[in-house]
Amino acid sequence: MAGARGGGRSTGVSAAPHLRADAARNRERIVEAAREALALHGTEVPLDEIARRAGVGNATLYRHFPDRSVLARDVVLAVAERIADRARDALDEAAQGCDPFEALSRFTAAAVEERVGALCPFLSEDFDDQEPRLLAARQRLERLVGELFDRARRAGRLRADADIGDLLLALGQLTRPLPGTECAQFDRFLGRHLQIFLDGLRAPARSELPGRAATVEAFRQG
């Protein structure tokens, strides 16, 4: 059954184990506020501003996240799990008879809303992308997107010379504002560029792509 390989919906990655309910809610609010602030203002946004957006005191923020690296991990983890949930929803739609390419398109649009590209500068050289929870979230996402690709390709709706890495790379590029560009200004063109990209994935292909398809392995290696 579609989506079975991907597992169930995530249950809130921001909440550390054994937290009281109110503390867990504070942690989740901080992570969401950090994601929004980073997407809007970049990596230099003050932690005080994140606390203000989350509606918590500075002491509460620092109690949960003593430094930016801990906050970065949880923001990336939350985004990865939420995007994977979107992929699972798209698989469920395809299993219920939805055009698999349209399901893939809706997933891509939902993933773009997470502004994952705006978070890329937050991932410094010492960011541990092999941390077990992050690795599990990434593998789940890749597995679900791979199944979406397989369904769309079997239906003859996805060009044969594209692969998962092409999509994952495009998600980062489409949602990463140019230096000195305000997010609001950048967003005016995002829907147009997303549609251009999706049209390029459709079968039958109108051109031959140069080079090799970007597999997951190639994407990981940069």
Side-chain angles (χ1 to χ4, degrees), residues 146-193:
E147 191 166 339
L148 272 172
F149 260 62
D150 289 344
R151 282 183 170 272
R153 188 173 285 119
R154 289 197 302 267
R157 301 281 283 125
L158 177 71
R159 62 186 301 157
D161 55 353
D163 210 330
I164 306 169
D166 292 307
L167 174 59
L168 297 178
L169 181 61
L171 286 176
Q173 292 176 331
L174 283 168
T175 57
R176 187 171 185 173
L178 295 173
T181 303
E182 291 293 329
C183 242
Q185 179 185 356
F186 176 77
D187 284 355
R188 289 188 299 153
F189 305 102
L190 188 52
R192 289 175 55 85
H193 296 165

Side-chain angles (χ1 to χ4, degrees), residues 31 40 42 62 68 70 72 82 92 113 142 150 189 192:
V31 169
L40 285 171
Y62 285 108
R68 282 178 177 267
V70 179
R82 191 151 52 191
D92 289 344
E113 290 178 2
E142 292 169 354
D150 289 344
F189 305 102
R192 289 175 55 85

Side-chain angles (χ1 to χ4, degrees), residues 74-86:
D74 274 32
V75 169
V76 173
L77 182 59
V79 169
E81 291 203 344
R82 191 151 52 191
I83 292 175
D85 285 344
R86 299 283 197 168

Side-chain angles (χ1 to χ4, degrees), residues 8-217:
R9 183 176 294 276
S10 60
T11 57
V13 300
S14 303
H18 311 306
L19 287 178
R20 298 191 320 270
D22 58 340
R25 285 192 296 270
N26 282 341
R27 189 180 183 93
E28 290 170 2
R29 282 200 294 268
I30 293 167
V31 169
E32 179 59 21
R35 186 193 69 82
E36 293 176 354
L38 289 165
L40 285 171
H41 304 299
T43 59
E44 298 307 313
V45 61
L47 293 182
D48 292 355
E49 170 62 14
I50 293 173
R52 186 192 67 77
R53 282 175 169 269
V56 301
N58 290 354
T60 298
L61 185 147
Y62 285 108
R63 184 162 58 248
H64 287 288
F65 302 104
D67 58 53
R68 282 178 177 267
S69 65
V70 179
L71 182 57
R73 180 202 63 202
D74 274 32
V75 169
V76 173
L77 182 59
V79 169
E81 291 203 344
R82 191 151 52 191
I83 292 175
D85 285 344
R86 299 283 197 168
R88 197 205 65 179
D89 291 342
L91 278 172
D92 289 344
E93 291 177 11
Q96 294 166 11
C98 172
D99 180 318
F101 189 86
E102 295 306 317
L104 176 62
S105 297
R106 279 194 283 275
F107 156 73
T108 305
V112 162
E113 290 178 2
E114 296 293 335
R115 301 296 191 269
V116 64
L119 302 178
C120 288
F122 204 38
L123 311 183
S124 60
E125 292 181 359
D126 60 352
F127 185 83
D128 182 11
D129 63 355
Q130 298 299 308
E131 193 270 338
R133 289 190 302 160
L134 285 171
L135 185 60
R138 188 183 72 191
Q139 290 172 340
R140 176 174 176 253
L141 172 61
E142 292 169 354
R143 184 168 60 247
L144 289 166
V145 175
E147 191 166 339
L148 272 172
F149 260 62
D150 289 344
R151 282 183 170 272
R153 188 173 285 119
R154 289 197 302 267
R157 301 281 283 125
L158 177 71
R159 62 186 301 157
D161 55 353
D163 210 330
I164 306 169
D166 292 307
L167 174 59
L168 297 178
L169 181 61
L171 286 176
Q173 292 176 331
L174 283 168
T175 57
R176 187 171 185 173
L178 295 173
T181 303
E182 291 293 329
C183 242
Q185 179 185 356
F186 176 77
D187 284 355
R188 289 188 299 153
F189 305 102
L190 188 52
R192 289 175 55 85
H193 296 165
L194 172 61
Q195 191 59 54
I196 291 170
F197 169 72
L198 290 172
D199 285 347
L201 285 180
R202 291 180 191 274
R206 297 177 178 271
S207 62
E208 183 176 345
L209 294 176
R212 298 180 179 178
T215 62
V216 168
E217 290 73 19

